[in-house]
């Protein structure tokens, strides 16, 4: 029996999706949803600039997974994301009943994990899941930092 890929492997895949988003002019965030057997259920990358503000990497991965499975079967899955999810995406994770969340780096402006954890402490949102931050943090943070640096310093001619 082959060994299951390590969590770093899933985050590397999410980082590749984030680079694809960056190359398409999107905020570089990627997401991979993996079940307990090590099967990739779904992948996503940001597409909000090209389509809808709802098209975050996490939302794309969750929507794809929910097309093949019902939300009650996602309880053994883990979502690997390159940046801390926003409140919209966290709400979708609660509703989809995921089993866990691993994200690479904090998102100080729009990240919502602390808010979600506060709601859990208040007794709201009965579906809870473990959350881990910091896997390949530097690589993910550098990708975001470089993207926004380029956005601020490179201007269109004219």
């Amino acid at each position: 029996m082959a060994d299951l890929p390590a969590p770093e492997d899933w985050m590397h895949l999410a980082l590749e999706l984030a680079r694809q988003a960056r190359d398409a002019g999107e905020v570089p965030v990627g997401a991979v949803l993996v079940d307990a057997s090590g099967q990739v259920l779904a992948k996503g990358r940001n597409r909000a600039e090209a389509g809808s503000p709802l098209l975050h990497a996490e939302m794309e991965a969750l929507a794809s997974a929910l097309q093949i499975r019902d939300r009650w079967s996602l309880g053994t899955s883990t979502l690997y994301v390159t940046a801390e999810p926003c409140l919209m995406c966290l709400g979708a994770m609660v509703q989809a009943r995921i089993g866990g969340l691993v994200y690479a780096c904090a998102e100080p402006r729009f990240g919502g994990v602390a808010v979600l954890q506060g709601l859990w402490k208040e007794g709201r949102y009965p579906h809870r899941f473990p959350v881990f931050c910091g896997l390949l943090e530097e690589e993910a943070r550098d990708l975001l930092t470089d993207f926004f640096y380029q956005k601020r310093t490179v201007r269109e001619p004219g």
Side-chain angles (χ1 to χ4, degrees):
M1 183 176 186
D3 290 333
L4 292 177
E8 291 83 4
D9 297 327
W10 303 126
M11 192 61 77
H12 278 297
L13 180 55
L15 284 162
E16 178 53 37
L17 292 161
R19 285 188 283 277
Q20 290 174 18
R22 174 203 61 203
D23 294 346
E26 299 281 349
V27 175
V29 178
V32 178
L33 186 65
V34 180
D35 72 12
S37 70
Q39 176 186 356
V40 174
L41 296 176
K43 300 180 277 188
R45 67 173 180 83
N46 273 1
R47 297 177 197 272
E49 295 299 318
S52 160
L54 302 176
L55 297 179
H56 290 191
E58 303 93 327
M59 299 294 279
E60 185 174 66
L62 289 171
S64 294
L66 291 168
Q67 287 181 349
I68 58 171
R69 293 198 173 172
D70 66 62
R71 67 186 178 149
W72 306 109
S73 69
L74 296 182
T76 60
S77 65
T78 301
L79 186 63
Y80 293 84
V81 186
T82 58
E84 180 180 0
C86 71
L87 289 171
M88 173 184 71
C89 293
L90 288 163
M93 288 175 215
V94 168
Q95 294 300 317
R97 306 293 196 259
I98 67 164
L101 169 65
V102 178
Y103 64 96
C105 66
E107 210 306 334
R109 292 186 68 198
F110 299 109
V113 169
V115 172
L116 178 62
Q117 290 171 331
L119 292 171
W120 285 340
K121 286 179 184 173
E122 289 177 16
R124 299 185 195 186
Y125 288 148
H127 178 71
R128 298 173 187 216
F129 46 85
V131 177
F132 177 79
C133 174
L135 183 62
L136 302 179
E137 178 179 7
E138 186 174 344
E139 189 174 346
R141 186 179 54 242
D142 289 349
L143 189 60
L144 284 165
T145 301
D146 291 347
F147 175 80
F148 286 111
Y149 176 79
Q150 289 296 320
K151 283 284 193 195
R152 286 190 303 272
T153 59
V154 176
R155 302 269 189 238
E156 298 281 329

